[in-house]
Amino acid sequence: MSTAKDPNSKYDLSKISARVDKVNVSGLQRTHDDYVMRAAEGLFKANNFQEMMLEAMAAKAYLHELGIFKDVSVHIDISRGADATPQGYEVTLKGKEFTRIMGSAGTEIGQNEGSLRTELTIPNILGRGESISLQGSYSSTRANDLQLKFWKPFFHTRFRENRPEASFSVFRQTDRYDISSFQTTNLGYLLDFSAHTMLGVDLTHSLQYENSIRDLSLLNKSVPFGIRDHCGPKLASLVRYSLIFDNRDASVFPTRGLLLKSVNEYCGLGGNVAYTSSTAHGEVNVPLFAGLVAQFCGRVGVVRETKKTTVLPISNLFYCGGPLTLRGFKYGCAGPVIDGTPIGAQTFWCTGAHLWTPLPFAGVFKGLASHFRMHFFYNMGNSNSFSLDNMRSAYGIGLAVKLAERARIELNYCVPLQKQATDKAQNGFQFGIGYEFV
């Protein structure tokens, strides 16, 4: 009695014996062979067809990470020739290298600002992932910059899992501080080395050395003398170390996970600017029920004098207030002032508690609704004091919209609760756009 085979039955590929006899990487024009050799390591360890397929996909992803190919395809065929084995296969990775010159233009989201960005890149100039790019951005509100950057990844070495990368940049950056009526123009160079460590947790490290000329100028003639004293060019030489831990399930609307980020600077290795600066940012997300998520955020910053300090640079002080830090207050207007002009603080802290919820009837719109969230929030913080005395606070409700997987837009209705006489509160609707909120 014969039985018909179920057309929907699935094969267990792990029970099919297979081994890789040969790996070919084609499409190399400017790239050296040794830069792609590690792509084949996992393939030769495969003992069955399932492992071979998974390792082939891993090899494809690895070649994409090297930053030399526009597209990579995988072809698997039975092994042929005198050296072929009975269960042998031949894997070919076909890559299409980037063109010698690439250009792009588009918009970029910053912290409460948008900018037009253009970039011209010469990839893989020496055959092992080295690239040069010329980048420029323009914003009508705050920051403009021009940067020439050379970088080299070391993903092809035995430290592949650490993803080390080194870069050298020459830059010119202009930052406008409209609320304080001054702007800074920095001209200098930057050395950067970044890597990951995975000793129990995945940490991202960045060590930088920056040497630049900082020129502070005024935006109008009615600037207080406390700001005028900072005018003129100064030479800054500093080292910066940043550390990031992020295990959230999403960067914009996370439902679970933890983010910890710290940046520490020491300036005074040369020149006539000296200070130490430390900032830390934390975020905890806890899933509740029915799509509700509780989120708790905090940020703290401290800038201190050193033995070499004559005066702390005003551009390195902290501005508290605004839709990204302390909602219910205008940007930078929840801190110290001179003659009615905000000047920034040497220390600040702010915290936020949020209850995130999907939109009503989110199940009807499905894909579209995933880009929107509502939240109830409570913010509090202070400047130049870590006590709860004379702190600022506000609460409210708002609508947030996700922009790709990078940033979000918030439209909040804010109600300030506690404020100081010199603060500029914003009772009512407040608009914010950025990638890191409190």
Side-chain angles (χ1 to χ4, degrees):
M1 183 176 181
S2 62
T3 58
K5 186 177 180 181
D6 183 4
N8 296 321
S9 63
K10 297 181 179 179
Y11 292 101
D12 187 354
L13 299 181
S14 64
K15 295 182 180 180
I16 302 176
S17 297
R19 57 161 291 169
V20 176
D21 291 339
K22 187 177 182 181
V23 176
N24 301 308
V25 180
S26 62
L28 301 181
Q29 298 179 5
R30 304 188 303 276
T31 306
H32 295 286
D33 292 344
D34 63 330
Y35 191 61
V36 299
M37 285 181 62
R38 289 186 178 270
E41 287 183 350
L43 285 165
F44 288 119
K45 299 177 182 178
N47 295 314
N48 56 64
F49 201 84
Q50 178 174 293
E51 291 181 0
M52 184 178 65
M53 293 290 291
L54 293 175
E55 292 295 341
M57 292 301 102
K60 177 181 177 180
Y62 171 74
L63 291 178
H64 273 296
E65 288 179 4
L66 293 179
I68 57 175
F69 292 117
K70 179 190 293 186
D71 185 38
V72 178
S73 59
V74 180
H75 299 267
I76 300 176
D77 199 358
I78 59 174
S79 183
R80 296 181 175 86
D83 298 328
T85 60
Q87 288 83 32
Y89 289 85
E90 184 174 323
V91 179
T92 301
L93 300 166
K94 293 184 177 181
K96 183 177 181 181
E97 289 188 352
F98 288 116
T99 58
R100 293 187 179 275
I101 299 179
M102 301 187 301
S104 64
T107 56
E108 185 178 65
I109 303 299
Q111 290 293 72
N112 216 35
E113 67 171 350
S115 60
L116 176 64
R117 187 174 189 83
T118 59
E119 182 175 358
L120 186 65
T121 304
I122 305 176
N124 199 24
I125 54 175
L126 300 178
R128 291 185 176 88
E130 306 88 350
S131 302
I132 292 180
S133 69
L134 179 64
Q135 305 170 4
S137 68
Y138 173 78
S139 170
S140 60
T141 56
R142 186 176 174 187
N144 305 308
D145 68 79
L146 183 65
Q147 177 180 250
L148 179 64
K149 180 179 179 180
F150 170 83
W151 73 94
K152 175 174 176 54
F154 295 91
F155 301 165
H156 64 296
T157 67
R158 62 189 181 93
F159 301 105
R160 169 191 171 185
E161 298 297 328
N162 302 109
R163 302 177 61 82
E165 183 174 302
S167 67
F168 173 77
S169 305
V170 179
F171 64 88
R172 182 183 186 276
Q173 183 177 24
T174 301
D175 282 322
R176 291 172 55 95
Y177 297 79
D178 290 327
I179 59 170
S180 299
S181 300
F182 72 86
Q183 73 174 18
T184 60
T185 301
N186 296 349
L187 178 64
Y189 64 88
L190 177 73
L191 294 169
D192 177 84
F193 178 78
S194 61
H196 290 245
T197 58
M198 288 163 285
L199 301 175
V201 293
D202 186 3
L203 299 175
T204 303
H205 306 262
S206 176
L207 182 63
Q208 299 178 337
Y209 172 74
E210 178 182 320
N211 195 301
S212 62
I213 298 174
R214 302 178 176 183
D215 189 9
L216 189 145
S217 57
L218 305 179
L219 297 178
N220 58 61
K221 297 180 180 180
S222 59
V223 179
F225 283 101
I227 297 177
R228 292 176 181 268
D229 292 340
H230 294 267
C231 288
K234 293 181 174 62
L235 178 62
S237 178
L238 63 93
V239 60
R240 180 185 299 115
Y241 172 70
S242 64
L243 177 67
I244 301 175
F245 170 75
D246 188 358
N247 68 350
R248 298 173 298 170
D249 57 353
S251 58
V252 181
F253 291 143
T255 61
R256 65 181 73 246
L258 174 67
L259 167 67
L260 295 174
K261 178 180 179 181
S262 70
V263 180
N264 298 278
E265 290 184 10
Y266 175 79
C267 184
L269 301 177
N272 52 359
V273 179
Y275 63 88
T276 62
S277 174
S278 297
T279 58
H281 177 89
E283 177 186 309
V284 180
N285 301 277
V286 181
L288 300 177
F289 56 89
L292 297 177
V293 177
Q295 184 183 75
F296 304 94
C297 306
R299 188 178 301 168
V300 61
V302 179
V303 58
R304 293 294 190 212
E305 299 176 347
T306 69
K307 294 181 180 180
K308 300 179 181 179
T309 303
T310 55
V311 60
L312 285 174
I314 191 173
S315 58
N316 286 95
L317 300 180
F318 301 105
Y319 287 84
C320 189
L324 277 65
T325 55
L326 195 56
R327 297 169 181 83
F329 294 83
K330 293 185 178 180
Y331 172 76
C333 294
V337 298
I338 293 181
D339 298 333
T341 301
I343 60 167
Q346 286 187 231
T347 64
F348 91 103
W349 64 270
C350 56
T351 62
H354 304 257
L355 180 63
W356 290 95
T357 175
L359 290 180
F361 312 108
V364 178
F365 300 99
K366 294 183 180 179
L368 179 63
S370 66
H371 295 276
F372 295 83
R373 290 288 190 278
M374 290 180 59
H375 72 139
F376 302 90
F377 64 87
Y378 175 74
N379 283 126
M380 63 180 183
N382 212 347
S383 298
N384 283 340
S385 173
F386 286 106
S387 71
L388 298 180
D389 299 332
N390 301 320
M391 73 174 188
R392 288 85 165 173
S393 64
Y395 71 94
I397 183 174
L399 176 68
V401 183
K402 179 171 63 174
L403 298 178
E405 295 296 333
R406 169 75 173 159
R408 74 175 186 248
I409 297 174
E410 285 189 5
L411 179 61
N412 300 312
Y413 187 86
C414 308
V415 180
L417 287 176
Q418 297 170 277
K419 61 181 180 179
Q420 303 303 308
T422 57
D423 295 341
K424 295 182 181 179
Q426 189 168 346
N427 193 339
F429 288 101
Q430 188 176 43
F431 175 85
I433 181 172
Y435 53 86
E436 196 171 81
F437 292 75
V438 176

